[in-house]
Amino acid sequence: MFKLVVSDTITVPVAGRLPDAAGNFVPFGFSLTARRLPADKMREVITNEELLTTDFLRSVVQGWSGVMDEAGSPLEFSPGALDALLNIVGMSNLLYAAYIDACGVKGKAKN
């Protein structure tokens, strides 16, 4: 049975590694809250060669959890804080890929 009811928002798990000052890769993880776009809108995004990944993410990301400031305190979501996150080299591509993965249907995992 399948109920054809799809939430307008999704939680997007994000995981990666970022090099520290010594060049050691430090793992990180957090979650985004974002608007879920339907397939027809996603096709428009994917085929729009003028739309930057960062602009797309700014249009769908609405919040986050697990993002901390330098002191280790939870960092409140804001457009400026999102811009700081997107300014990390490679982060926008990682977030975009995580968003696409979180939006899609998954098959049943095999044992």
Side-chain angles (χ1 to χ4, degrees):
M1 180 155 117
F2 176 70
K3 289 186 181 181
L4 188 56
V5 179
V6 180
S7 172
D8 290 340
T9 60
I10 58 169
T11 299
V12 180
V14 178
R17 299 179 314 138
L18 184 66
D20 63 13
N24 300 311
F25 282 87
V26 179
F28 65 84
F30 57 92
S31 295
L32 299 175
T33 303
R35 290 185 310 114
R36 181 197 307 265
L37 297 182
D40 58 339
K41 296 293 183 192
M42 281 306 301
R43 272 191 295 281
E44 290 176 20
V45 168
I46 292 168
T47 58
N48 184 346
E49 295 179 10
E50 295 181 16
L51 180 65
L52 298 175
T53 304
T54 52
D55 291 337
F56 168 74
L57 291 166
R58 286 184 191 105
S59 75
V60 296
V61 175
Q62 300 174 322
W64 59 34
S65 64
V67 177
M68 307 296 176
D69 64 16
E70 288 184 60
S73 299
L75 183 63
E76 185 174 334
F77 177 82
S78 70
L82 177 60
D83 284 344
L85 181 67
L86 295 174
N87 200 38
I88 299 170
V89 174
M91 187 62 75
S92 62
N93 291 334
L94 178 66
L95 300 183
Y96 181 78
Y99 176 86
I100 297 297
D101 187 56
C103 282
V105 173
K106 307 285 186 285
K108 186 176 178 181
K110 295 182 180 181
N111 290 336

